Amino acid sequence: MGNLCTCFSPKTPVKTKKPTKRLQGNPQTAPNSSNRWTRIRSTRKEFKDNHDELIREQALAAAIMFRQLQQQNGSASGSFPFDRSVSLRYPNGSGSKKTQLPRSSSSRARSLTDPLLQPHQLVNQDIKLDDLETNHFVLVHGGGFGAWCWYKTIALLEEGGFKVTAVDLTGSGIHSSDTNGITSLSQYVKPLTDFLDKLADGDKTILVGHDFGGACISYAMELFPHKVSKAIFVAAAMLTNGQSTLDMFSQKAGSSDLMQQAQLFVYANGNNHPPTAINLDKSLFRDLLFNQSPGKDVALASVSIRPIPFAPVLEKLSLSELKYGTVRRFYIQTPEDNAIPITLQESMINSSPPEKVFHLKGADHSPFFSKPQALHKLLVEISKIPST
């Protein structure tokens, strides 16, 4: 085929190379003489020689200066102390420049919606923690999760000087109880309510609830409203009086069946009795809970998530305006959420409007993994909102 194409291709005229004539006579009078190349080479050699000479002079000057410094410091033996640091240091109050923190060596591109914050950016310098109503965050995980899921948030808050408590609800995380034995919401939330009960009078906290943890902090707010300064719902079930978490999820029916596909019911008491717990299909983990999260965090979750107790999900909350209603509520939306879609989040917000709603751009259902820096920034921002 190639030969056929060659046969029918137009012939290209062959250019003949003209013989080069050498000029005779004095080479200085020839305009194309190679003498100019001789001059260039000579100029380059002179430049190199001058450059080498300059380097030698600089080295000699440096050696003389070094020797003078040795003599000024009284070190005849030549053991002048040498500072091996190549970074500039500006003592406090003696320099106009700020010390630059080292940049990350990671080659992974930073997300514009979750910028890397340096430690000095975690809390504004003009705000003192003592000026806040409370600097104590209590983090409450969602169904199946544990205190482990907050590890990034805990580190960031503590670096900013905040006090942080992350609880393992009954049958979650490292709590030793069997999930199948949990029969009520009060039993499930007991580690949280026990913690709040032991707080000294006058001590207040900022409760942060994720997922089913939203129903859990609501339950605690009804019992201990005087010990809760603010409540932050992060992609969480924010229920109304007489509503259960199952009621909330039923609003989602027909919009997406991913959650239904992922649910695996456990019948520890036999198939003739109601389910005792809910497992999640790990093959659907990423799509359902971690569609924007790093793989290492998905791997952590896959070996850490435990079954969700079924009875607490069925229980309807009893919330009053005199107790639950007195606590300031804030909601953080996660627009890329496949577990509690943004439409369902907006439905809960409209049914029981909080004081303020924040939008965490690019976050999936687990923003403590997918957007830890941005989530941290919002938590700190909410902590600073003064009383009205």
Side-chain angles (χ1 to χ4, degrees), residues 241-260:
N241 180 44
Q243 189 180 32
S244 71
T245 303
L246 184 63
D247 293 336
M248 181 271 293
F249 275 106
S250 66
Q251 300 177 20
K252 177 189 170 186
S255 61
S256 172
D257 60 352
L258 185 59
M259 176 65 80
Q260 296 178 7

Side-chain angles (χ1 to χ4, degrees), residues 261-264 279-285:
Q261 293 178 17
Q263 291 176 349
L264 303 173
N279 267 324
L280 295 177
D281 186 346
K282 292 186 178 181
S283 67
L284 299 176
F285 259 17

Side-chain angles (χ1 to χ4, degrees), residues 345-358:
Q345 296 177 36
E346 291 175 348
S347 175
M348 291 186 290
I349 291 170
N350 293 332
S351 298
S352 180
E355 182 175 323
K356 191 172 183 179
V357 177
F358 297 85

Side-chain angles (χ1 to χ4, degrees), residues 5-146:
C5 292
T6 304
C7 293
F8 285 94
S9 61
K11 294 183 179 180
T12 303
V14 179
K15 295 182 180 180
T16 56
K17 185 177 181 181
K18 294 182 180 180
T20 302
K21 294 183 180 180
R22 295 191 177 185
L23 297 176
Q24 303 294 327
N26 189 351
Q28 294 180 354
T29 61
N32 295 327
S33 171
S34 62
N35 185 48
R36 60 177 179 175
W37 304 115
T38 304
R39 290 198 301 271
I40 292 175
R41 287 195 296 269
S42 176
T43 302
R44 288 177 177 173
K45 184 176 183 304
E46 292 175 359
F47 175 80
K48 183 176 182 303
D49 293 341
N50 293 337
H51 183 66
D52 292 343
E53 182 64 25
L54 178 61
I55 292 177
R56 283 192 292 269
E57 292 177 357
Q58 290 176 342
L60 180 60
I64 295 174
M65 182 178 297
F66 183 74
R67 183 61 181 172
Q68 290 174 346
L69 288 173
Q70 285 182 325
Q71 294 174 352
Q72 291 174 5
N73 284 270
S75 176
S77 61
S79 59
F80 178 71
F82 177 68
D83 185 2
R84 289 173 173 80
S85 173
V86 295
S87 61
L88 296 178
R89 294 186 300 276
Y90 298 93
N92 293 335
S94 64
S96 59
K97 295 184 180 180
K98 295 182 179 179
T99 304
Q100 296 296 322
L101 295 171
R103 298 186 63 182
S104 170
S105 60
S106 172
S107 59
R108 180 180 177 185
R110 295 290 177 190
S111 169
L112 296 179
T113 61
D114 189 41
L116 180 65
L117 301 179
Q118 300 292 359
H120 68 278
Q121 296 175 298
L122 298 180
V123 181
N124 292 340
Q125 298 300 308
D126 57 340
I127 299 294
K128 295 182 179 179
L129 295 179
D130 293 340
D131 296 335
L132 304 178
E133 184 177 5
T134 179
N135 66 350
H136 188 180
F137 280 92
V138 177
L139 310 179
V140 182
H141 61 81
F145 288 83

Side-chain angles (χ1 to χ4, degrees), residues 216-232:
C216 298
I217 66 172
S218 297
Y219 182 89
M221 291 156 62
E222 179 68 20
L223 295 179
F224 304 98
H226 58 290
K227 293 187 177 181
V228 183
S229 170
K230 298 181 180 77
I232 305 174

